[in-house]
């Protein structure tokens, strides 16, 4: 009689492992050759050859600046406008100021008027012609269709060629401004205004600007401003102070010009007089020498007559 336990023992002591694990046998037999898996895009009908697929595309030349549609049918950029842009190009050098270039560009394009053509569209079309060198390469590297408005273009242009470090340096120069030794009032004022124009986004209020300039002057020019203000410049409004400074600068300018012209005219007169005196002296010397030679020749040719005359 076979017991339950003996049947289990017989199953466990089976010498053939493959017969005891049919799943492992089936897994080995089900291996298939390796093949590339294709994406749904690759399965689409594309009969191009590999050479055609690897060929450089002819698309992708979109410009960074997007010019809005122009409704005018007969609009075109004249060559004279393009030549005007290329006459004073911005190269992106360290000494170049992008703010000055934008001022010049706005001044030129503000005179261009076309019916049904926005001025901003004209600016977007003409601005690339005003760039050269590093500035043109910068614009070419901008992502396609990334500049949609004139404001976008100005913002990217200024941030590229007027970095924060340059702003910091100019702000320090404005805050630490001082009148130089021997520098006149109008020269100091012109130099101070040049610093403000070089960094229009300096962030200083008009009060701070005028206070900085006044404290940078020597005591003589400070007293002169106080006298022009009627005693104390600080008791006047900022608009009045600016007017007083501008008027004082113009007066000093005109006086210096008149003094310089007087000095130049006096120099010319004095030099002319000295030249005339030199010429007169030279002529007198030449005349005296000629008369002396003639007299000497007369004496040598007739010594008796000269002796009689002397007696």
């Amino acid at each position: 009689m076979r017991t339950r336990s003996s049947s289990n023992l017989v199953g466990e002591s089976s010498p053939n492992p493959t017969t005891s694990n049919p799943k492992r046998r089936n897994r080995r037999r089900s291996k298939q050759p390796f093949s590339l898996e294709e994406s749904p895009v690759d399965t689409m009908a594309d009969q191009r050859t590999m050479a055609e697929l690897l060929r450089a595309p002819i698309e992708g030349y979109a410009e960074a600046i997007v010019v809005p549609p122009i409704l005018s049918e007969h609009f075109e950029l004249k060559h004279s406008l393009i030549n005007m842009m290329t006459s004073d190009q911005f190269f992106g050098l360290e000494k170049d100021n992008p703010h000055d270039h934008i001022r010049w560009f706005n001044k030129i394009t503000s005179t261009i008027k076309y019916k049904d053509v926005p001025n901003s569209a004209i600016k977007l079309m003409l601005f690339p012609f005003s760039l050269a060198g590093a500035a043109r390469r910068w614009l070419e590297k901008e992502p396609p269709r990334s500049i949609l408005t004139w404001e976008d273009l100005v913002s990217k242009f200024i941030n590229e060629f007027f970095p924060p470090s340059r702003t910091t340096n100019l702000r320090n120069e404005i805050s630490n401004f001082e009148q130089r030794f021997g520098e006149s009032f109008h020269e100091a004022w012109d130099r101070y205004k040049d610093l403000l124009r070089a960094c229009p986004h300096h962030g200083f209020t008009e009060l701070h600007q005028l206070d900085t300039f006044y404290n940078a002057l020597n005591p003589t020019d400070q007293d002169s401003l106080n006298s022009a203000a009627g005693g104390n410049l600080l008791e006047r409004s900022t608009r009045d102070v600016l007017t007083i400074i501008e008027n004082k600068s113009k007066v000093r300018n005109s006086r210096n010009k008149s003094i310089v012209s007087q000095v130049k005219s006096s120099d010319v007169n004095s030099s002319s007089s000295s030249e005339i005196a030199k010429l007169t002296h030279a002529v007198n010397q030449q005349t005296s020498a000629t008369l002396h030679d003639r007299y000497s020749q007369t004496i040598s040719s007739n010594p008796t007559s000269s002796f009689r005359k002397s007696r």
Side-chain angles (χ1 to χ4, degrees):
M1 181 177 177
R2 179 179 292 182
T3 62
R4 187 175 181 180
S5 60
S6 60
S7 63
N8 293 337
L9 291 173
V10 172
E12 290 176 359
S13 61
S14 177
N16 191 355
T18 58
T19 58
S20 63
N21 194 354
K23 293 183 178 180
R24 183 179 297 175
R25 182 178 65 253
N26 296 335
R27 188 183 298 116
R28 291 179 180 176
R29 292 179 181 176
S30 62
K31 286 187 176 180
Q32 299 295 333
F34 176 78
S35 62
L36 292 172
E37 295 183 0
E38 296 182 353
S39 64
V41 178
D42 296 332
T43 58
M44 297 175 62
D46 192 348
Q47 302 300 326
R48 290 181 298 174
T49 63
M50 290 184 61
E52 291 174 343
L53 293 172
L54 295 174
R55 189 176 300 162
I58 59 175
E59 299 85 5
Y61 293 100
E63 299 289 340
I65 300 176
V66 178
V67 180
I70 297 176
L71 302 178
S72 179
E73 297 180 356
H74 305 287
F75 170 76
E76 64 177 3
L77 287 178
K78 298 181 179 179
H79 290 287
S80 58
L81 294 178
I82 298 177
N83 293 334
M84 188 182 302
M85 294 296 106
T86 58
S87 64
D88 191 6
Q89 292 178 311
F90 182 86
F91 287 84
L93 302 177
E94 186 177 358
K95 63 181 181 62
D96 295 338
N97 192 321
H99 293 288
D100 293 338
H101 185 71
I102 293 296
R103 292 191 192 97
W104 169 82
F105 187 83
N106 284 333
K107 184 177 181 180
I108 296 297
T109 54
S110 63
T111 61
I112 304 174
K113 305 293 183 182
Y114 285 97
K115 185 179 180 180
D116 298 330
V117 180
N119 189 255
S120 58
I122 297 176
K123 290 181 178 180
L124 291 173
M125 286 187 290
L126 286 176
F127 191 77
F129 296 102
S130 70
L131 304 180
R136 178 177 296 176
R137 291 191 294 271
W138 159 77
L139 184 59
E140 292 174 351
K141 293 179 181 179
E142 285 296 297
R145 305 181 65 84
S146 60
I147 301 175
L148 305 179
T149 63
W150 170 245
E151 290 72 19
D152 292 342
L153 179 55
V154 173
S155 177
K156 290 189 175 184
F157 178 70
I158 295 297
N159 290 329
E160 177 67 22
F161 297 102
F162 207 99
S165 58
R166 190 171 182 180
T167 301
T168 302
N169 293 334
L170 284 173
R171 281 175 57 88
N172 291 335
E173 288 189 39
I174 295 173
S175 299
N176 301 322
F177 180 82
E178 288 185 0
Q179 186 178 12
R180 295 170 180 170
F181 179 79
E183 188 178 36
S184 64
F185 178 85
H186 76 272
E187 290 173 344
W189 178 238
D190 288 344
R191 186 165 62 87
Y192 187 68
K193 289 191 296 184
D194 289 340
L195 289 175
L196 296 175
R197 283 176 54 84
C199 186
H201 56 288
H202 49 72
F204 297 126
T205 62
E206 188 176 40
L207 174 63
H208 185 274
Q209 298 173 33
L210 296 174
D211 183 65
T212 300
F213 179 73
Y214 174 79
N215 292 323
L217 297 174
N218 56 50
T220 303
D221 286 331
Q222 287 183 354
D223 294 341
S224 178
L225 286 178
N226 289 326
S227 299
N232 189 355
L233 190 69
L234 299 179
E235 295 180 356
R236 306 294 291 270
S237 64
T238 55
R239 179 174 297 182
D240 292 341
V241 171
L242 182 60
T243 303
I244 292 171
I245 292 176
E246 288 288 351
N247 292 336
K248 177 176 171 57
S249 178
K250 293 177 182 178
V251 171
R252 293 292 298 273
N253 252 326
S254 60
R255 288 181 179 178
N256 289 341
K257 289 180 180 179
S258 62
I259 292 173
V260 169
S261 61
Q262 291 177 3
V263 170
K264 288 184 178 180
S265 61
S266 62
D267 291 341
V268 171
N269 294 333
S270 60
S271 60
S272 300
S273 301
S274 60
E275 292 295 332
I276 293 174
K278 289 180 181 179
L279 289 174
T280 303
H281 181 68
V283 170
N284 292 335
Q285 286 184 338
Q286 185 67 27
T287 304
S288 300
T290 302
L291 293 175
H292 182 270
D293 293 340
R294 290 181 179 178
Y295 181 73
S296 299
Q297 292 176 359
T298 303
I299 293 176
S300 59
S301 61
N302 194 1
T304 307
S305 59
S306 60
F307 175 75
R308 288 176 180 176
K309 289 180 181 179
S310 62
R311 292 187 68 182

